[in-house]
Amino acid sequence: MSDKFDVVVIGAGPAGYVAAIKAAQLGLSTACVEQWLDDKGKVRLGGTCLNVGCIPSKALLDSSYKFHEAKADLGVHGISVSDATIDVPAMIARKGKIVDQLTGGIAGLFKHNGVTAVSGTGKVLAGTRVEVTDKDGNVQVLEAGHIIIAAGSLPINIPPAPVDGDLIVDSTGALEFQEVPARLGVIGAGVIGLELGSVWGRLGSDVVVLEALEEFLPMMDQQIAKEAGKIFKKQGLDIRLGARVTGSEVKDGKVTVSYSTADGEHTEEFDKLIVAVGRRPRSEELFSTDSGITLDERGFIFVNDFCETEAPRVYAVGDVVRGPMLAHKGSEEGVMVAERIAGKPAQMNYDCIPSVIYTHPEVAAVGKTEQELKAEGVPYKSGTFPFVASGRALASNDSDGMVKMLAHEETDRILGCHIVGPSAADLVQQVVIAMEFGSSAEDLALTVFGHPTLSEAVHEAALAVDGHAIHIANRKKRK
Ligand code: FAD
Ligand code: AMP
């Protein structure tokens, strides 16, 4: 193998593998260094997202939702499946197959596009060189025209609940339970805690989510967060806000968790405990001190809007840099950087990145929240539409939640959209596209939406912005 490349990427997660494929498509000789090994000691591509993140969690969310539907939701359609049972090892094995198929698919794409996969741990040295140490300790140095660091992130551990991989697990361990825990504790009511709590709750666990903050989903639009909180409560998810975990003890196959609230100290006993308190950038031992790369105060690799680090011709993308820790954010950064290396004037619109919590119903958002607009003093108007008024949602017996559209008071430009409801992830994408094209709420209002679809709720929310909704009583005066 040549040890000279136009581009060397470190990390083959969604930020790194996409950057590598794009660079190769643009005619640049490209290597992608990845340390992850499969059980046969071969390089494993796809990073957190494909192996232990987005994909396996969605596989389990879908399996568990089907079980829940069979058990609890089909009766209303006149269908009785009262003796539905769940074979947890079979469900986990199905998830494993999907992961294998997708990670293998990345290997195929690398081959097809001419990306060289290099197995080992990469470290950036001064002079755009990458030192790679393989599993046997062999070291090679790659000369790179440009380097893209995409080393990703790792789960945060907290001293009160040290992960033991058995009773106390992180998100990776929570994707591997071989039986349904009778009582499940989750620390952290963030995206990952809510998704994994939902998986096991649907399968029968009695789930308690302990969240230190008083506010539920503070980063989401608060009207939508409150609505989501009510729906989750109705579903039986016991989310305790203002509950800070202070300790844990593993004894006789159980874990006892201590936590404090405004009322004092409490304890709860669980069969399993998932620690889902966030992720941190994986930025240690990634570069030599003379490489010129710097970290910000939170340990993220410092980059500008174009993902350039402080070292010339060294870029960083994905979870290892500032911004939301989302697969698609990293992938788009990877594309931007590959294009810029190839001399194209690419840039990224950080104002238009959708985010989703894949509970049921889903919670999805793009753009500014109402509280952000208020804080920034931006004049805005809003329109909402509840799914209970959507014919399609009622037909599916899936009518919890609402769409909320925010637009500029004077220009009518769409500033944000927040949804809790069925297929919210796919619905919000329609607004992402509209926002990318600088659409006004009226542009969406004047668009023809198929009937009956859930998308009509987006249409009605856009109409409601100026008091023109048809299928609900408009509270505001028509403009
Ligand atoms: P990663 O995917 O973490 O990949 C980094 C890669 O770099 C890894 O393969 C690692 O082994 C490798 N690496 C690190 N250091 C080195 C080194 N020195 N040398 C060689 N290789 C190295 N995001 C979404 O958008 N949607 C979701 O639904 C979603 N669900 C999630 C569910 C869970 C349970 C979790 C944990 C995460 C989820 N995420 C989701 C987040 C998403 O997985 C991450 O944002 C995404 O994987 C980040 O991509 P990345 O390429 O930056 O890093
Ligand atoms: P996220 O970063 O979105 O995955 O969310 C993680 C959540 O975990 C945050 O809302 C934190 O407030 C919460 N958290 C962190 N530490 C603790 C703790 N000791 N007890 C309870 N919740 C915590």
Side-chain angles (χ1 to χ4, degrees):
M1 182 185 78
S2 158
D3 54 5
K4 273 196 174 148
F5 294 91
D6 293 327
V7 178
V8 173
V9 182
I10 300 179
Y17 82 71
V18 170
I21 289 172
K22 189 72 197 176
Q25 286 175 346
L26 291 166
L28 301 163
S29 64
T30 305
C32 185
V33 183
E34 173 56 59
Q35 62 173 14
W36 206 311
L37 298 173
D38 65 15
D39 46 15
K40 294 187 189 78
K42 279 182 65 185
V43 64
R44 179 95 171 163
L45 307 175
T48 303
C49 169
L50 264 55
N51 288 290
V52 293
C54 320
I55 298 300
S57 59
K58 265 79 259 176
L60 297 189
L61 277 159
D62 286 348
S63 295
S64 60
Y65 191 68
K66 285 186 192 302
F67 177 71
H68 164 80
E69 267 196 310
K71 274 281 226 217
D73 271 358
L74 293 183
V76 72
H77 298 274
I79 304 167
S80 154
V81 203
S82 52
D83 56 352
T85 56
I86 180 77
D87 177 345
V88 176
M91 178 185 78
I92 299 290
R94 183 192 87 96
K95 180 250 327 171
K97 266 195 198 155
I98 296 160
V99 168
D100 287 348
Q101 184 178 342
L102 287 170
T103 55
I106 305 299
L109 289 173
F110 271 13
K111 226 179 194 164
H112 176 76
N113 288 287
V115 176
T116 304
V118 180
S119 184
T121 302
K123 182 173 183 175
V124 180
L125 308 179
T128 43
R129 289 171 308 138
V130 176
E131 178 190 88
V132 182
T133 308
D134 75 10
K135 64 177 190 313
D136 303 317
N138 303 313
V139 178
Q140 90 183 101
V141 175
L142 306 177
E143 305 281 338
H146 297 81
I147 295 172
I148 306 175
I149 303 173
S153 61
L154 290 169
I156 292 176
N157 289 310
I158 49 170
V163 168
D164 64 11
D166 179 19
L167 266 71
I168 306 181
V169 298
D170 57 18
S171 58
T172 302
L175 298 168
E176 295 297 334
F177 292 162
Q178 294 298 313
E179 56 184 50
V180 180
R183 262 182 83 68
L184 173 67
V186 179
I187 311 180
V191 178
I192 294 175
L194 290 173
E195 291 187 6
L196 295 173
S198 296
V199 165
W200 297 103
R202 290 168 189 171
L203 297 177
S205 287
D206 183 8
V207 181
V208 178
V209 183
L210 300 169
E211 167 56 57
L213 300 177
E214 297 285 350
E215 212 173 21
F216 183 51
L217 297 174
M219 69 296 187
M220 306 293 289
D221 185 279
Q222 279 307 290
Q223 187 180 3
I224 294 296
K226 284 201 176 77
E227 182 74 14
K230 270 193 244 158
I231 298 169
F232 297 151
K233 196 168 173 190
K234 200 170 75 183
Q235 291 174 352
L237 210 54
D238 180 354
I239 301 170
R240 299 184 193 170
L241 299 176
R244 174 169 294 279
V245 172
T246 51
S248 60
E249 192 189 2
V250 172
K251 210 170 160 191
D252 301 330
K254 304 265 182 199
V255 50
T256 304
V257 174
S258 321
Y259 65 96
S260 58
T261 66
D263 301 340
E265 301 298 318
H266 312 264
T267 56
E268 281 283 350
E269 192 181 78
F270 299 111
D271 297 288
K272 294 274 187 194
L273 178 66
I274 302 174
V275 182
V277 295
R279 297 179 64 81
R280 62 180 175 83
R282 189 173 189 156
S283 52
E284 305 103 4
E285 294 173 31
L286 246 184
F287 50 88
S288 63
T289 45
D290 60 352
S291 64
I293 298 166
T294 54
L295 300 182
D296 70 15
E297 65 286 354
R298 292 185 303 150
F300 291 93
I301 292 182
F302 180 79
V303 289
N304 63 14
D305 286 352
F306 301 116
C307 293
E308 292 165 338
T309 69
E310 299 215 277
R313 292 182 290 124
V314 180
Y315 301 77
V317 295
D319 280 11
V320 80
V321 302
R322 84 285 173 267
M325 285 185 163
L326 292 168
H328 44 282
K329 173 261 191 186
S331 299
E332 287 308 312
E333 287 178 331
V335 169
M336 170 181 73
V337 166
E339 290 193 335
R340 291 183 72 83
I341 291 171
K344 293 176 185 285
Q347 58 182 21
M348 174 141 172
N349 182 1
Y350 283 95
D351 293 334
C352 223
I353 301 174
S355 63
V356 180
I357 310 175
Y358 290 87
T359 42
H360 195 100
E362 294 170 347
V363 187
V366 62
K368 299 282 186 188
T369 61
E370 187 165 356
Q371 64 266 23
E372 281 172 336
L373 293 174
K374 269 194 187 137
E376 291 168 19
V378 178
Y380 68 91
K381 49 192 177 173
S382 84
T384 57
F385 188 80
F387 282 101
V388 76
S390 151
R392 188 59 206 259
L394 283 175
S396 318
N397 191 41
D398 209 354
S399 58
D400 280 339
M402 63 158 92
V403 179
K404 174 174 181 176
M405 190 79 66
L406 294 164
H408 195 282
E409 174 67 41
E410 285 132 31
T411 66
D412 194 41
R413 195 181 177 119
I414 300 172
L415 300 174
C417 179
H418 306 274
I419 306 177
V420 52
S423 301
D426 293 295
L427 297 185
V428 90
Q429 192 61 41
Q430 304 175 7
V431 185
V432 176
I433 295 167
M435 285 174 72
E436 274 290 348
F437 284 86
S439 166
S440 64
E442 189 184 28
D443 289 329
L444 268 191
L446 292 173
T447 302
V448 180
F449 281 70
H451 175 76
T453 57
L454 294 172
S455 303
E456 288 170 301
V458 174
H459 189 211
E460 289 277 358
L463 282 161
V465 164
D466 278 327
H468 294 284
I470 300 290
H471 292 91
I472 43 163
N474 289 291
R475 287 215 195 99
K476 61 175 74 164
K477 251 176 100 191
R478 285 211 273 149
K479 281 199 176 166

